[in-house]
Amino acid sequence: MSDMTFTLTDEQRALKTAVYELCKQYPPEYWRDLDAKREYPEAFVTELTKAGYLAALIPPDYGGAGLGMMEAAIILEEINHSGGNAAACHAQMYIMGTVLRHGSEAQKKLYLPKIATGELRLQAFGVTEPNSGSDTTKLQTTAIKKGDRYVVNGQKMFISRVLQSDLMLLLARTTPVDHVKKKTDGLSVFLIDIRGLKGLEVRPLRMMMNHSTNALFFDNAEVPAESLVGQEGKGFAYILDGMNAERILVASDSLGDGRWFIEKAVAYSGQRVIFGKPIGANQGVQFPIARAHMAIEAADLMRTKAAKLFDAGLPSGPEANMAKYLAAEAAWDAGNACIDAHGGYGFAEEYDVERKFREARLYKTAPINNNLVMAYVGEHVLGMPRSY
Ligand SMILES: Cc1cc2nc3c(=O)[nH]c(=O)nc-3n(C[C@H](O)[C@H](O)[C@H](O)COP(=O)(O)OP(=O)(O)OC[C@H]3O[C@@H](n4cnc5c(N)ncnc54)[C@H](O)[C@@H]3O)c2cc1C
């Protein structure tokens, strides 16, 4: 039985400190300035890549660090805990998992070592569409085989980091839904090279926070047949397979946000004196912060359980989903406690609270909405009737 304790090993503690120290070289002004300009944290991501952290989950045989999910989770948590935003690069860690698990040996040898060094960025994941949203099997983008190529047509929505990626993992329908037994059949995954891909138009979207996301338009874009990952028609299962890793890592982003909010709120409410005493002595200020801290600690236990199950090769779906839900909600409560503790200053850009508040809010909605996590728990964990 693998390690199921909840304390970090010496190596994990050292990793946590090393990541935090690297992140601290990128002060609040760095992130604030990029946020105002809606620019990508290129210098930070390059340094993180060079340090090997984004290759944590790539096995050594393909040039990566060969670490576990727990280590990957620690890395992302510390980025957000330090005041940064791991959303800029977290997907470079986990999108490659689909290629690792289901790709051919040729694809793995060709791409994984270059993804590990950062020579190639694979941090775009094209699933969501304007007309299907959370109902993935209804997606309308098609990839039709013609000789040695697939011809892709359709639209994708909110596809992040496309302009900062060389490769994209794309989910498209290869068999029409009325020609398959189950609606989950007939979807396929492609690993496509998007550098200068003819027939792909990328339209950046300005979002609530500094998040490089885009609407995509495929108009007869041709990709080589070798871009197919695994078997044609089995893509939905491949994508589901990667979800647990994504949930655990996104939960870790939220835990980092939550810890940042709590530290910031404790520090500010300890030194801000109003009515002759620190505002943190008032239970109206103190209790929401204490409550948020407890929720973050509880979510951390669930995230750690999920990561350890994952690393032991055991089923982790319920725990990964619950961790994502609990951590996103706890971070949001911590964000509210922090902004309340800061009074008007919580809304002033120079305090960074409002920026982190906007960034933390995303994880209640994406990559999966917390409503759908509850639907998963109701249906798959508790065996209740399906709502959709
Ligand atoms: C900043 C950002 C970055 C993103 N990056 C990516 C990306 O890189 N790649 C990608 O593929 N997608 C990405 N997404 C898309 C994200 O995963 C979707 O927004 C999300 O899956 C929901 O789809 P939707 O927005 O169409 O909402 P909808 O599916 O239209 O849902 C709208 C609301 O209705 C609720 N709802 C719908 N059905 C039910 C039901 N049966 N029960 C209860 N509630 C229900 C939902 O929970 C939600 O609250 C990103 C989104 C954002 C905001």
Side-chain angles (χ1 to χ4, degrees):
M1 185 69 180
S2 292
D3 170 30
M4 281 293 157
T5 57
F6 294 96
T7 48
L8 298 183
T9 62
D10 289 346
E11 290 79 14
Q12 287 168 342
R13 265 197 298 276
L15 173 69
K16 194 176 161 83
T17 307
V19 175
Y20 194 78
E21 290 305 317
L22 184 156
C23 294
K24 277 298 181 192
Q25 293 169 39
Y26 295 84
E29 300 76 33
Y30 173 78
W31 294 99
R32 209 182 298 149
D33 187 46
L34 292 170
D35 179 65
K37 297 189 209 145
R38 291 296 193 271
E39 281 179 4
Y40 190 73
E42 193 59 56
F44 172 74
V45 175
T46 301
E47 186 160 355
L48 206 66
T49 308
K50 280 199 185 134
Y53 292 131
L54 295 181
L57 294 172
I58 300 179
D61 286 354
Y62 299 106
L67 297 172
M69 185 56 63
M70 193 62 221
E71 285 76 18
I74 288 169
I75 293 167
L76 296 182
E77 179 178 338
E78 286 314 295
I79 295 173
N80 281 21
H81 175 209
S82 74
N85 185 8
C89 54
H90 58 192
Q92 177 83 355
M93 266 190 183
Y94 58 76
I95 295 180
M96 67 81 211
T98 304
V99 182
L100 182 64
R101 278 186 298 275
H102 304 289
S104 65
E105 199 48 44
Q107 282 170 325
K108 289 193 255 187
K109 282 201 175 118
L110 181 62
Y111 293 115
L112 293 179
K114 290 182 182 161
I115 293 169
T117 60
E119 185 183 336
L120 288 178
R121 280 191 183 153
L122 168 59
Q123 47 179 3
F125 189 22
V127 176
T128 305
E129 297 193 1
N131 296 324
S132 54
S134 312
D135 194 359
T136 305
T137 60
K138 297 251 172 65
L139 64 76
Q140 295 166 339
T141 295
T142 55
I144 306 299
K145 194 154 186 207
K146 286 208 175 130
D148 62 351
R149 318 193 77 69
Y150 281 90
V151 181
V152 182
N153 279 290
Q155 288 180 33
K156 293 280 172 187
M157 192 60 180
F158 301 131
I159 309 306
S160 303
R161 301 163 297 265
V162 177
L163 296 174
Q164 295 79 26
S165 289
D166 305 296
L167 308 170
M168 174 163 64
L169 203 69
L170 175 75
L171 187 66
R173 192 159 271 292
T174 39
T175 309
V177 73
D178 50 359
H179 287 52
V180 289
K181 276 199 199 124
K182 286 188 291 172
K183 60 184 182 175
T184 49
D185 291 340
L187 294 167
S188 302
V189 170
F190 298 89
L191 177 62
I192 62 174
D193 195 323
I194 52 175
R195 289 169 293 180
L197 178 64
K198 284 203 185 89
L200 169 61
E201 188 195 338
V202 182
R203 277 190 216 159
L205 301 165
R206 192 172 166 98
M207 305 299 279
M208 180 199 274
M209 62 292 177
N210 184 19
H211 191 105
S212 322
T213 198
N214 311 273
L216 306 185
F217 300 83
F218 289 94
D219 181 12
N220 287 318
E222 294 191 9
V223 300
E226 310 83 79
S227 313
L228 180 71
V229 176
Q231 279 181 47
E232 192 181 288
K234 301 281 177 217
F236 189 73
Y238 299 161
I239 294 291
L240 278 190
D241 233 22
M243 292 299 182
N244 291 342
E246 185 187 67
R247 306 278 192 267
I248 296 168
L249 294 174
V250 165
S252 305
D253 289 349
S254 290
L255 290 177
D257 285 336
R259 294 196 185 287
W260 185 91
F261 285 129
I262 289 163
E263 286 172 13
K264 191 94 174 165
V266 168
Y268 183 80
S269 60
Q271 55 87 21
R272 173 78 169 163
V273 175
I274 294 291
F275 295 114
K277 62 179 178 185
I279 55 166
N282 299 300
Q283 292 173 339
V285 176
Q286 188 182 100
F287 284 7
I289 300 169
R291 195 161 45 229
H293 175 68
M294 291 189 273
I296 286 290
E297 288 293 322
D300 184 344
L301 286 177
M302 185 61 79
R303 183 280 311 264
T304 300
K305 182 178 179 189
K308 297 221 168 183
L309 287 169
F310 188 100
D311 284 337
L314 295 168
S316 61
E319 289 77 9
N321 275 280
M322 291 190 285
K324 186 271 172 191
Y325 176 97
L326 293 170
E329 296 291 337
W332 182 237
D333 290 344
N336 275 296
C338 187
I339 215 163
D340 282 338
H342 279 76
Y345 298 96
F347 297 82
E349 284 183 3
E350 65 185 286
Y351 281 74
D352 300 300
V353 177
E354 62 82 35
R355 172 178 62 80
K356 289 289 275 183
F357 188 75
R358 289 183 277 115
E359 290 168 0
R361 179 62 179 79
L362 176 65
Y363 299 122
K364 276 163 64 76
T365 299
I368 184 173
N369 197 285
N370 273 358
N371 267 1
L372 293 186
V373 175
M374 285 195 279
Y376 167 87
V377 171
E379 186 194 336
H380 294 282
V381 181
L382 302 177
M384 296 173 78
R386 193 177 172 86
S387 72
Y388 53 89

